[in-house]
Amino acid sequence: MKKPEIFQLPKIEDPRGNLSIIEEEQHIPFKIERVYWIYDVPGGQMRGGHAFKEQQELIVSLSGSFDVVVDDGLVKQTFSLNRSYYGLFVPAGLWRQMQNFSTNSLAMILSSTHYKADDYIREYSEFLKLTLNNDE
Ligand code: TYD
């Protein structure tokens, strides 16, 4: 199974302000079919808390900070995102939750798929069953 990974994105430093870039299939290993973002998150709230069967994604903190907990069914890893030139690549098939959002945080998610409700695995017990059976 592929692993979650932090990608360092290009950063063009400039006294007028910095600039970063993401090109599909160049800085990330998939074509971008959808972009969405999460913002105005009240203190203490969590987002995500599910797995995707097919969707691969890159999660970027464009502003502020938050943590992404990625779980492969055996091991949980926490990634803290607080710079807009880092992206967390999350392959398909992993449980992921976003939490500890700072005030005014802005999370951008680049997705390899269009929105499909049936791509979600929302029950943790189902996720464990699918994941651990696949590993056998
Ligand atoms: P969801 O992905 O379940 O958010 P979270 O995992 O953070 O709880 O999405 C919340 C709602 O938004 C859900 O009703 C589906 C809808 N939605 C879309 O219609 N299109 C999208 O691309 C996304 C990401 C969500």
Side-chain angles (χ1 to χ4, degrees):
M1 186 189 274
K2 287 197 205 159
K3 290 189 171 6
E5 190 181 336
I6 294 281
F7 291 163
Q8 183 159 2
L9 302 166
K11 180 182 180 193
I12 317 284
E13 294 196 40
D14 192 303
R16 298 169 301 160
N18 300 331
L19 181 154
S20 285
I21 306 150
I22 301 170
E23 290 192 18
E24 60 182 9
E25 295 183 313
Q26 186 164 335
H27 306 113
I28 53 173
F30 58 84
K31 276 192 163 291
I32 301 163
E33 291 205 340
R34 179 166 50 113
V35 179
Y36 60 96
W37 49 100
I38 295 172
Y39 53 98
D40 291 347
V41 179
Q45 290 293 332
M46 296 178 185
R47 298 295 314 229
H50 48 67
F52 296 110
K53 296 176 199 159
E54 189 193 335
Q55 173 179 321
Q56 308 170 57
E57 60 188 4
L58 188 86
I59 304 176
V60 182
S61 172
L62 289 182
S63 176
S65 62
F66 54 88
D67 294 337
V68 187
V69 182
V70 185
D71 176 356
D72 65 4
L74 295 172
V75 178
K76 287 187 175 72
Q77 278 178 279
T78 301
F79 297 90
S80 293
L81 297 178
N82 58 9
R83 293 281 181 272
S84 56
Y85 51 90
Y86 286 117
L88 174 65
F89 171 65
V90 184
L94 300 174
W95 190 269
R96 62 98 164 135
Q97 180 162 294
M98 301 165 70
Q99 58 195 42
N100 290 336
F101 287 90
S102 69
T103 306
N104 290 330
S105 54
L106 171 58
M108 176 179 72
I109 296 101
L110 307 182
S111 166
S112 66
T113 65
H114 290 288
Y115 175 73
K116 282 180 267 181
D118 64 6
D119 193 43
Y120 284 69
I121 304 168
R122 292 193 179 273
E123 288 297 325
Y124 192 72
S125 56
E126 187 196 346
F127 163 71
L128 282 183
K129 208 157 70 182
L130 287 170
T131 307
L132 302 178
N133 286 346
N134 279 344
D135 282 352
E136 276 171 12

